[in-house]
Amino acid sequence: MRDLNFPDFQFRFKNNENKRFIFDDIRKKYVLLTPEEWVRQHVVQFLIKVKMYPQSHINVEKVVKINDMNKRYDVVVFTPKGSIFLLVECKEPSVKITQSVFDQIARYNMSLNAQFLMVTNGLNHYYCKLDYVNKKYQFLTDLP
């Protein structure tokens, strides 16, 4: 897998039937190592080790219902009170971050109401803070 725009993290890998798997600390199991999963696992480690968000407040790849359709978000960080602090959308490095990616995370957030959003392909990261009262968002250089 290619280098990403994150610090170097240590991961556990295993091979099975000519496929490579990476251990997901949140789901507590090995998952198939795809380019998007490589980004997702870096995001999780970034949130835990750099941003110091409690691992117990992080959820990975859960179903959310959007317009009567089941969708799956990549990463969510909860507040201690259970509301959603951060919603993360991960794309593989070859996928450019376009308006359609922002539209996707905005659709997911209509049900989740996160305080912050992060969109990344592992190379480029975008963060924004949502202001629901004034119906605005503000791009940030980093997450709080």
Side-chain angles (χ1 to χ4, degrees):
M1 290 285 150
R2 72 182 288 175
D3 288 340
L4 300 176
N5 187 15
F6 285 105
D8 287 332
F9 298 115
Q10 296 297 314
F11 296 102
R12 292 188 292 174
F13 301 97
K14 78 173 186 178
N15 293 312
N16 190 4
E17 297 180 13
N18 294 326
K19 293 181 183 172
R20 192 147 196 213
F21 294 81
I22 187 168
F23 190 78
D24 182 320
D25 289 331
I26 304 301
R27 292 178 274 184
K28 304 287 188 221
K29 66 179 184 177
Y30 283 93
V31 294
L32 184 63
L33 181 57
T34 63
E36 184 175 316
E37 191 63 46
W38 184 236
V39 172
R40 188 179 299 114
Q41 291 306 315
H42 275 80
V43 166
V44 167
Q45 294 305 310
F46 170 75
L47 296 174
I48 294 168
K49 295 186 172 143
V50 176
K51 302 312 292 180
M52 306 300 285
Y53 299 151
Q55 183 172 328
S56 61
H57 293 187
I58 299 173
N59 225 326
V60 175
E61 284 218 303
K62 295 289 183 180
V63 173
V64 60
K65 202 160 206 72
I66 310 288
N67 297 328
D68 292 327
M69 293 173 41
N70 287 336
K71 300 292 184 177
R72 191 176 292 271
Y73 63 70
D74 284 305
V75 181
V76 160
V77 179
F78 292 94
T79 67
K81 293 184 179 181
S83 64
I84 296 179
F85 175 74
L86 172 67
L87 172 61
V88 182
E89 178 61 31
C90 301
K91 297 295 183 190
E92 66 180 75
S94 65
V95 174
K96 290 187 175 162
I97 304 298
T98 63
Q99 185 62 49
S100 67
V101 177
F102 285 103
D103 292 345
Q104 178 184 2
I105 198 170
R107 279 191 306 276
Y108 290 8
N109 197 49
M110 287 168 51
S111 295
L112 300 172
N113 297 312
Q115 296 174 36
F116 296 89
L117 302 178
M118 175 182 178
V119 174
T120 182
N121 62 3
L123 305 174
N124 300 298
H125 317 303
Y126 300 93
Y127 316 102
C128 62
K129 180 179 184 352
L130 298 163
D131 178 351
Y132 291 100
V133 173
N134 297 307
K135 298 182 181 178
K136 292 182 176 181
Y137 59 90
Q138 174 188 3
F139 278 96
L140 308 171
T141 57
D142 197 4
L143 291 171

